[in-house]
Each structure stands twice: as C-alpha cells, then as structure tokens.
Amino acid sequence: MTEYYSMKIAGLDRKLEKFPVSDSLDIAAFILFGDVEVTVKASEELLKKAPEFDYIITPEAKSIPLAYEMARQSGKPYIVIRKGVKVYMRNSLGVTVKSITTNKEQHLYLGESEVEMIKGKRVLIVDDVISTGESLAAVRELVKKAGAIEAATCAVLAEGDAANRTDIIFLEKLPLFFK
C-alpha cells in the first residue's frame, strides 16, 4: 500500500509519496518536475526572502525548473551546475559529493565560461530540498572555487535536521520518517 505525507508548499496542498531510503528510514519525495503551480508559487515566495544577487546557480537536475522560474521572475540569469563534463565545457572546475538520495558518489562541474561569469559576483544557490547538506556543501565549495560570493542559499523544503539550520532560506519543513 502506498503511503503519502500531506503538507502545504507555498500555500498549496500536496501529497508526497513516501519511499524507503534504508531499513530504518523513509522520506517523502518532493518532485518538482511537472508541478508548475508549486514551481511558480515557491519561486515567488523564495524571491521575497532572498537578498540581492547577480546570478542564480543550481545543481542538476530536479531544481532546474525552480531556478528557471526564479530567473524568469527576477530577470536574473541562472546557471546549472552539471553532474558530468560536456564537450563544450572547457577547463571545467569540479567537486565531489555523496548525498542521501543518491546511491553513488557524484561529481559537480562548472565550465570555464560559467566560472568567468560568476567570478566576483553574488550568487543565489537554489535547490528543491536541503536534507543532510552534503550536496549543498559541494555546491558551496564549487561556488567558492569559482571565485563567486554566496548571497544566500534557498530551497523549497528543508528536510529533517536541515530545518534547524540558520544558514538557509526555505519555505517549509519536511520531516524524515524513522521506522
């Protein structure tokens, strides 16, 4: 039987399906893909809370719609941190990360042209969910290596202990479900 967790996200009612991460832990999966209504409303609400910034930066892939919509609403450009080096990414800059929702080690990259764009600029780091903070730490490391200035970090949801953090802007708390 499928279990759900019901919550409000940016004032909108949503049911998130629960999935096991381990024998002792389930998460409620927040999938932004395809939910245009939440993407638009969450972008509005996050931009109200965000400080001044020059660029939006987000890791590939689930938060891309959010970064796009925040860029559309703010008129500021966005950059996607890639999970693999593409042929058009000269002299890429990279970091390594292991997160709760990924089974293997990941690598995050910015190409030389993106690094040049954000060097010395204020970047708003955007993600869909912040949980353990491992992915965020890698993004922050990459932003720093690129010579950019972190204006703030924001996410639609803060999961588990991340909801107690004071260094992120988020809209709602998402609990973890221990068995």
Side-chain angles (χ1 to χ4, degrees), residues 100-115:
I100 189 173
T101 55
T102 309
N103 290 328
K104 60 183 169 98
E105 192 173 77
Q106 290 183 324
H107 303 278
L108 301 177
Y109 301 96
L110 283 173
E112 182 178 51
S113 59
E114 289 84 9
V115 170

PDB file of all heavy atoms in Angstrom, residues 100-115:
ATOM      1  N   ILE A 100      22.100  11.855   0.428  1.00  0.00           N
ATOM      2  CA  ILE A 100      21.161  10.863   0.966  1.00  0.00           C
ATOM      3  C   ILE A 100      20.322  10.198  -0.136  1.00  0.00           C
ATOM      4  O   ILE A 100      19.941   9.043  -0.030  1.00  0.00           O
ATOM      5  CB  ILE A 100      20.252  11.504   2.039  1.00  0.00           C
ATOM      6  CG1 ILE A 100      19.419  10.447   2.769  1.00  0.00           C
ATOM      7  CG2 ILE A 100      19.369  12.574   1.464  1.00  0.00           C
ATOM      8  CD1 ILE A 100      18.624  10.977   3.942  1.00  0.00           C
ATOM      9  N   THR A 101      20.010  10.933  -1.213  1.00  0.00           N
ATOM     10  CA  THR A 101      19.128  10.401  -2.244  1.00  0.00           C
ATOM     11  C   THR A 101      19.875   9.772  -3.416  1.00  0.00           C
ATOM     12  O   THR A 101      19.260   9.353  -4.383  1.00  0.00           O
ATOM     13  CB  THR A 101      18.185  11.506  -2.776  1.00  0.00           C
ATOM     14  OG1 THR A 101      18.988  12.606  -3.221  1.00  0.00           O
ATOM     15  CG2 THR A 101      17.224  11.960  -1.705  1.00  0.00           C
ATOM     16  N   THR A 102      21.191   9.719  -3.325  1.00  0.00           N
ATOM     17  CA  THR A 102      21.994   9.153  -4.407  1.00  0.00           C
ATOM     18  C   THR A 102      22.793   7.977  -3.876  1.00  0.00           C
ATOM     19  O   THR A 102      23.385   8.065  -2.816  1.00  0.00           O
ATOM     20  CB  THR A 102      22.952  10.225  -4.968  1.00  0.00           C
ATOM     21  OG1 THR A 102      22.200  11.390  -5.272  1.00  0.00           O
ATOM     22  CG2 THR A 102      23.647   9.746  -6.211  1.00  0.00           C
ATOM     23  N   ASN A 103      22.804   6.886  -4.618  1.00  0.00           N
ATOM     24  CA  ASN A 103      23.492   5.678  -4.166  1.00  0.00           C
ATOM     25  C   ASN A 103      24.997   5.704  -4.378  1.00  0.00           C
ATOM     26  O   ASN A 103      25.709   4.893  -3.816  1.00  0.00           O
ATOM     27  CB  ASN A 103      22.907   4.448  -4.876  1.00  0.00           C
ATOM     28  CG  ASN A 103      21.508   4.138  -4.392  1.00  0.00           C
ATOM     29  OD1 ASN A 103      21.190   4.381  -3.241  1.00  0.00           O
ATOM     30  ND2 ASN A 103      20.675   3.627  -5.275  1.00  0.00           N
ATOM     31  N   LYS A 104      25.479   6.590  -5.224  1.00  0.00           N
ATOM     32  CA  LYS A 104      26.911   6.608  -5.507  1.00  0.00           C
ATOM     33  C   LYS A 104      27.464   8.021  -5.400  1.00  0.00           C
ATOM     34  O   LYS A 104      26.721   8.992  -5.351  1.00  0.00           O
ATOM     35  CB  LYS A 104      27.187   6.028  -6.901  1.00  0.00           C
ATOM     36  CG  LYS A 104      26.515   6.786  -8.027  1.00  0.00           C
ATOM     37  CD  LYS A 104      26.780   6.099  -9.355  1.00  0.00           C
ATOM     38  CE  LYS A 104      25.913   6.661 -10.436  1.00  0.00           C
ATOM     39  NZ  LYS A 104      26.329   7.598 -11.311  1.00  0.00           N
ATOM     40  N   GLU A 105      28.766   8.100  -5.381  1.00  0.00           N
ATOM     41  CA  GLU A 105      29.437   9.387  -5.350  1.00  0.00           C
ATOM     42  C   GLU A 105      29.120  10.153  -6.636  1.00  0.00           C
ATOM     43  O   GLU A 105      29.066   9.567  -7.707  1.00  0.00           O
ATOM     44  CB  GLU A 105      30.940   9.124  -5.248  1.00  0.00           C
ATOM     45  CG  GLU A 105      31.764  10.317  -4.916  1.00  0.00           C
ATOM     46  CD  GLU A 105      33.215   9.935  -4.679  1.00  0.00           C
ATOM     47  OE1 GLU A 105      33.929   9.694  -5.671  1.00  0.00           O
ATOM     48  OE2 GLU A 105      33.603   9.853  -3.509  1.00  0.00           O
ATOM     49  N   GLN A 106      28.900  11.463  -6.496  1.00  0.00           N
ATOM     50  CA  GLN A 106      28.616  12.294  -7.658  1.00  0.00           C
ATOM     51  C   GLN A 106      29.705  13.342  -7.811  1.00  0.00           C
ATOM     52  O   GLN A 106      30.397  13.676  -6.849  1.00  0.00           O
ATOM     53  CB  GLN A 106      27.286  13.032  -7.489  1.00  0.00           C
ATOM     54  CG  GLN A 106      26.073  12.170  -7.557  1.00  0.00           C
ATOM     55  CD  GLN A 106      24.829  13.033  -7.458  1.00  0.00           C
ATOM     56  OE1 GLN A 106      24.779  14.022  -6.747  1.00  0.00           O
ATOM     57  NE2 GLN A 106      23.806  12.655  -8.189  1.00  0.00           N
ATOM     58  N   HIS A 107      29.801  13.878  -9.001  1.00  0.00           N
ATOM     59  CA  HIS A 107      30.733  14.963  -9.281  1.00  0.00           C
ATOM     60  C   HIS A 107      29.933  16.129  -9.833  1.00  0.00           C
ATOM     61  O   HIS A 107      28.994  15.927 -10.609  1.00  0.00           O
ATOM     62  CB  HIS A 107      31.796  14.502 -10.275  1.00  0.00           C
ATOM     63  CG  HIS A 107      32.549  13.301  -9.794  1.00  0.00           C
ATOM     64  ND1 HIS A 107      33.596  13.405  -8.915  1.00  0.00           N
ATOM     65  CD2 HIS A 107      32.366  11.984 -10.024  1.00  0.00           C
ATOM     66  CE1 HIS A 107      34.044  12.201  -8.639  1.00  0.00           C
ATOM     67  NE2 HIS A 107      33.309  11.312  -9.294  1.00  0.00           N
ATOM     68  N   LEU A 108      30.292  17.334  -9.420  1.00  0.00           N
ATOM     69  CA  LEU A 108      29.617  18.542  -9.880  1.00  0.00           C
ATOM     70  C   LEU A 108      30.635  19.424 -10.594  1.00  0.00           C
ATOM     71  O   LEU A 108      31.770  19.572 -10.123  1.00  0.00           O
ATOM     72  CB  LEU A 108      29.012  19.299  -8.698  1.00  0.00           C
ATOM     73  CG  LEU A 108      27.980  18.545  -7.859  1.00  0.00           C
ATOM     74  CD1 LEU A 108      27.532  19.399  -6.677  1.00  0.00           C
ATOM     75  CD2 LEU A 108      26.797  18.107  -8.697  1.00  0.00           C
ATOM     76  N   TYR A 109      30.228  20.018 -11.722  1.00  0.00           N
ATOM     77  CA  TYR A 109      31.155  20.774 -12.555  1.00  0.00           C
ATOM     78  C   TYR A 109      30.563  22.080 -13.063  1.00  0.00           C
ATOM     79  O   TYR A 109      29.364  22.170 -13.355  1.00  0.00           O
ATOM     80  CB  TYR A 109      31.548  19.952 -13.795  1.00  0.00           C
ATOM     81  CG  TYR A 109      32.195  18.643 -13.496  1.00  0.00           C
ATOM     82  CD1 TYR A 109      31.440  17.472 -13.466  1.00  0.00           C
ATOM     83  CD2 TYR A 109      33.558  18.566 -13.251  1.00  0.00           C
ATOM     84  CE1 TYR A 109      32.039  16.252 -13.192  1.00  0.00           C
ATOM     85  CE2 TYR A 109      34.161  17.340 -12.979  1.00  0.00           C
ATOM     86  CZ  TYR A 109      33.392  16.192 -12.951  1.00  0.00           C
ATOM     87  OH  TYR A 109      33.989  14.981 -12.679  1.00  0.00           O
ATOM     88  N   LEU A 110      31.440  23.058 -13.203  1.00  0.00           N
ATOM     89  CA  LEU A 110      31.152  24.295 -13.929  1.00  0.00           C
ATOM     90  C   LEU A 110      32.195  24.416 -15.026  1.00  0.00           C
ATOM     91  O   LEU A 110      33.375  24.123 -14.801  1.00  0.00           O
ATOM     92  CB  LEU A 110      31.268  25.518 -13.015  1.00  0.00           C
ATOM     93  CG  LEU A 110      30.125  25.789 -12.054  1.00  0.00           C
ATOM     94  CD1 LEU A 110      30.502  26.931 -11.109  1.00  0.00           C
ATOM     95  CD2 LEU A 110      28.844  26.102 -12.796  1.00  0.00           C
ATOM     96  N   GLY A 111      31.775  24.861 -16.189  1.00  0.00           N
ATOM     97  CA  GLY A 111      32.717  25.109 -17.272  1.00  0.00           C
ATOM     98  C   GLY A 111      33.403  26.458 -17.077  1.00  0.00           C
ATOM     99  O   GLY A 111      32.952  27.307 -16.305  1.00  0.00           O
ATOM    100  N   GLU A 112      34.481  26.652 -17.805  1.00  0.00           N
ATOM    101  CA  GLU A 112      35.260  27.884 -17.700  1.00  0.00           C
ATOM    102  C   GLU A 112      34.414  29.127 -17.967  1.00  0.00           C
ATOM    103  O   GLU A 112      34.558  30.146 -17.280  1.00  0.00           O
ATOM    104  CB  GLU A 112      36.423  27.808 -18.701  1.00  0.00           C
ATOM    105  CG  GLU A 112      37.347  28.995 -18.692  1.00  0.00           C
ATOM    106  CD  GLU A 112      38.488  28.808 -19.674  1.00  0.00           C
ATOM    107  OE1 GLU A 112      38.235  28.477 -20.856  1.00  0.00           O
ATOM    108  OE2 GLU A 112      39.643  28.986 -19.241  1.00  0.00           O
ATOM    109  N   SER A 113      33.516  29.066 -18.938  1.00  0.00           N
ATOM    110  CA  SER A 113      32.698  30.247 -19.256  1.00  0.00           C
ATOM    111  C   SER A 113      31.763  30.608 -18.101  1.00  0.00           C
ATOM    112  O   SER A 113      31.570  31.786 -17.791  1.00  0.00           O
ATOM    113  CB  SER A 113      31.913  30.050 -20.557  1.00  0.00           C
ATOM    114  OG  SER A 113      31.062  28.937 -20.458  1.00  0.00           O
ATOM    115  N   GLU A 114      31.193  29.599 -17.419  1.00  0.00           N
ATOM    116  CA  GLU A 114      30.338  29.861 -16.261  1.00  0.00           C
ATOM    117  C   GLU A 114      31.147  30.414 -15.093  1.00  0.00           C
ATOM    118  O   GLU A 114      30.703  31.320 -14.385  1.00  0.00           O
ATOM    119  CB  GLU A 114      29.589  28.597 -15.817  1.00  0.00           C
ATOM    120  CG  GLU A 114      28.501  28.149 -16.764  1.00  0.00           C
ATOM    121  CD  GLU A 114      29.013  27.292 -17.918  1.00  0.00           C
ATOM    122  OE1 GLU A 114      30.208  26.886 -17.904  1.00  0.00           O
ATOM    123  OE2 GLU A 114      28.237  27.051 -18.855  1.00  0.00           O
ATOM    124  N   VAL A 115      32.347  29.870 -14.903  1.00  0.00           N
ATOM    125  CA  VAL A 115      33.225  30.363 -13.838  1.00  0.00           C
ATOM    126  C   VAL A 115      33.533  31.841 -14.075  1.00  0.00           C
ATOM    127  O   VAL A 115      33.456  32.657 -13.153  1.00  0.00           O
ATOM    128  CB  VAL A 115      34.525  29.524 -13.750  1.00  0.00           C
ATOM    129  CG1 VAL A 115      35.541  30.180 -12.822  1.00  0.00           C
ATOM    130  CG2 VAL A 115      34.208  28.107 -13.276  1.00  0.00           C
TER     131      VAL A 115
END
